[in-house]
């Protein structure tokens, strides 16, 4: 049985109240205190070894919660909420005729959900950078959609492909997630792909937390890349972060964990959340997206706020160090790829109930038409999927499809 390790460290501006809320429809209110948003520190001066980063006095570490359940929490009476009627950070509205978030609640509270996915397969494929060219890339570790390969399209991904994501979400999230494989250096000078149990918990957050701008669901087929596969020095700590066992030193590059295998290496990778509202991809696979400001506001040329995706990658039993590197080269080049392939109704329900109405929806399960966070979790929630539309808000909006750019050389692979 594969180990279920998930990100246990959260950065908040204060204690998060324990709530028990049943959500029906899109306008349910929430009670809460503070945004529960993973937030990295500014990048330090590049160095060969990590420098300790002072911990915030407001950081909390909740007790780990189990990842599977067969029983939804019983309906409960919503706790009284303190919300504001302010519009939140001002982002330019999408062009006329484009969808806009509705029923947005502004509350100083965590706003996130996640899916827990096991590593499914390893291949030197990249359907974004090297479409239709099997073996043309460096080695990648693929999570989520089990069919992802060099020839993948959104049609193939959302056909009947199963997913490696658990808690009953395997048929709900057919998105493709991948990162460069972890490689081990051998005594003879060769390297081997590390294929021990690996997992990623993919967080979807409202940028700026519960007081940030309202969020729209991902259009099916949107593609994006985070991080720099060509990096030979530290990337921004706001995008790439390594630590040990979900704690310890925070570094923009992989390092040897002093606690050994009992405190294994862990990586975080944050994707941009602001979209231009037109292109599902771009020639460099990045220009159609932009990072939000700390309060969640999007720039004028990327006005659409989408969920902020973060990969939280665990390598059980691997302490890191000089014997390990990334398939894209060295210890600095962490990056990741994402193709959105959510079931429309499930995504509509989660975005509305967990992001636009801010809730802590980590460890969500699906049982038929019910989405739920078990009653043993600090903030249980039950969502009736049938109260939400089965169509995407982007249906009927003219969007430009994926871009097929000239294949870069291997050294330029993203």
């Amino acid at each position: 049985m594969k180990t279920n390790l998930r990100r246990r460290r959260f950065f908040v501006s204060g204690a998060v109240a324990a709530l028990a809320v049943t959500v029906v429809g899109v306008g349910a209110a929430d009670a809460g205190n503070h945004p529960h948003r993973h937030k990295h520190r500014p990048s330090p001066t590049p160095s060969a070894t990590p420098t300790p980063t002072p911990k915030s006095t407001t950081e909390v570490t909740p007790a780990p919660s189990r990842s599977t359940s067969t029983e939804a929490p019983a309906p409960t009476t919503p706790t009284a909420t303190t919300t504001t009627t302010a519009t939140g950070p001002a982002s330019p509205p999408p062009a006329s005729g484009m969808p806009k978030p509705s029923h947005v609640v502004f509350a100083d509270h965590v706003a996130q959900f996640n899916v827990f996915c096991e590593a499914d397969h390893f291949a030197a494929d990249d359907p974004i950078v090297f479409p239709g060219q099997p073996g043309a890339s460096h080695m990648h570790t693929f999570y989520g959609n089990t069919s992802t390969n060099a020839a993948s399209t959104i049609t193939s991904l959302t056909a009947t492909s199963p997913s490696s994501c658990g808690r009953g979400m395997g048929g709900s999230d057919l998105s493709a997630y991948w990162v460069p494989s972890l490689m081990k250096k051998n005594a003879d000078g060769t390297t081997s792909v590390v294929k021990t149990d690996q997992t990623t918990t993919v967080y979807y957050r409202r940028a700026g937390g519960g007081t940030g701008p309202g969020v729209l669901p991902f259009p099916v087929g949107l593609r994006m890349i985070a991080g720099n596969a060509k990096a030979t020095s530290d990337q921004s700590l706001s995008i790439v972060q390594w630590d040990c066992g979900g704690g310890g030193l925070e570094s923009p590059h992989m390092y040897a964990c002093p606690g050994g295998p009992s405190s294994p290496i862990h990586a975080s990778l944050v994707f941009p959340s602001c979209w231009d509202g037109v292109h599902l991809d771009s020639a460099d696979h990045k220009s159609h997206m932009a990072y939000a400001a700390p309060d969640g506001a999007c720039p004028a040329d990327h006005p659409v706020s989408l969920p902020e995706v973060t990969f939280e990658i665990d390598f059980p039993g691997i302490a890191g160090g000089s014997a390990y590197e990334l398939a894209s080269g060295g210890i600095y080049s962490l990056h990741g790829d994402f193709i959105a392939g959510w079931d429309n109704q499930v995504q509509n329900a989660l975005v509305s109930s967990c992001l636009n109405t801010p809730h802590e929806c980590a460890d969500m399960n699906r049982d038929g038409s019910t989405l739920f966070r078990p009653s043993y979790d600090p903030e249980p929630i039950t969502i009736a999927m049938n109260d939400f539309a089965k169509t995407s808000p982007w249906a009927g909006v003219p969007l430009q499809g994926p871009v097929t750019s000239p294949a870069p050389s291997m050294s330029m692979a993203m």
Side-chain angles (χ1 to χ4, degrees):
M1 179 176 294
K2 294 190 176 182
T3 304
N4 180 352
L5 295 179
R6 73 174 185 84
R7 183 67 165 170
R8 296 181 176 86
R9 298 172 56 241
F10 305 91
F11 299 87
V12 298
S13 57
V16 176
L19 306 178
V21 182
T22 298
V23 174
V24 179
V26 297
D30 175 42
N33 293 331
H34 301 284
H36 194 137
R37 179 170 180 265
H38 184 90
K39 187 175 183 180
H40 297 282
R41 280 45 169 194
S43 179
T45 301
S47 60
T49 57
T51 301
T53 303
K55 299 295 180 181
S56 166
T57 57
T58 58
E59 182 178 322
V60 296
T61 306
S65 54
R66 287 163 280 180
S67 63
T68 59
S69 177
T70 59
E71 183 177 351
T76 55
T77 302
T79 306
T81 183
T82 300
T83 62
T84 68
T85 56
T87 58
S91 292
S96 177
M98 297 186 71
K100 298 178 182 179
S102 61
H103 301 92
V104 179
V105 174
F106 295 93
D108 196 12
H109 189 271
V110 56
Q112 68 179 12
F113 64 89
N114 66 29
V115 289
F116 175 80
C117 310
E118 297 175 333
D120 181 74
H121 59 284
F122 305 82
D125 290 354
D126 190 324
I128 292 180
V129 180
F130 293 99
Q133 301 177 65
S137 183
H138 50 254
M139 191 66 68
H140 285 106
T141 301
F142 292 88
Y143 303 85
N145 198 300
T146 59
S147 72
T148 311
N149 58 34
S152 291
T153 63
I154 194 56
T155 300
S156 69
L157 292 173
T158 57
T160 56
S161 305
S163 167
S164 70
C165 300
R167 307 187 192 115
M169 302 294 282
S172 303
D173 181 15
L174 299 181
S175 301
Y177 310 105
W178 65 97
V179 295
S181 296
L182 183 67
M183 310 295 290
K184 185 174 183 180
K185 301 175 185 178
N186 303 316
D188 61 1
T190 62
T191 58
S192 301
V193 179
V194 176
K195 293 186 177 181
T196 56
D197 291 350
Q198 298 166 36
T199 63
T200 184
T201 303
V202 182
Y203 279 86
Y204 289 78
R205 296 184 170 101
R206 178 170 161 182
T211 58
V215 176
L216 283 164
F218 281 104
V220 174
L222 184 133
R223 304 174 174 205
M224 60 178 170
I225 294 175
N228 181 4
K230 298 175 287 183
T232 55
S233 60
D234 286 340
Q235 300 185 60
S236 171
L237 199 60
S238 66
I239 298 174
V240 174
Q241 184 184 99
W242 292 85
D243 57 32
C244 298
L249 304 179
E250 295 169 349
S251 170
H253 56 264
M254 182 168 49
Y255 62 95
C257 292
S262 63
S263 181
I265 54 172
H266 167 275
S268 300
L269 181 66
V270 181
F271 285 73
S273 60
C274 298
W275 178 42
D276 66 11
V278 177
H279 303 93
L280 296 176
D281 198 357
S282 50
D284 62 359
H285 314 295
K286 291 186 175 184
S287 298
H288 60 304
M289 303 296 300
Y291 283 90
D295 64 358
C298 287
D301 54 354
H302 293 77
V304 181
S305 183
L306 299 175
E308 180 188 78
V309 172
T310 300
F311 291 178
E312 300 286 0
I313 309 163
D314 286 295
F315 302 89
I318 304 296
S322 60
Y324 294 92
E325 64 182 11
L326 296 168
S328 45
I331 60 175
Y332 302 101
S333 61
L334 181 64
H335 61 287
D337 301 68
F338 167 69
I339 301 178
W342 277 88
D343 173 273
N344 287 324
Q345 188 175 43
V346 174
Q347 188 183 193
N348 288 342
L350 291 171
V351 167
S352 178
S353 305
C354 302
L355 304 189
N356 287 336
T357 300
H359 277 105
E360 165 58 284
C361 293
D363 302 348
M364 292 295 286
N365 291 252
R366 179 178 178 179
D367 182 7
S369 60
T370 300
L371 300 171
F372 66 95
R373 190 174 189 226
S375 57
Y376 53 69
D377 278 317
E379 190 176 327
I381 181 173
T382 300
I383 303 170
M385 281 173 42
N386 291 336
D387 292 326
F388 299 87
K390 294 183 178 181
T391 57
S392 169
W394 299 102
V397 177
L399 301 175
Q400 295 189 19
V403 173
T404 302
S405 55
S409 65
M410 286 296 292
S411 63
M412 296 292 287
M414 294 182 180

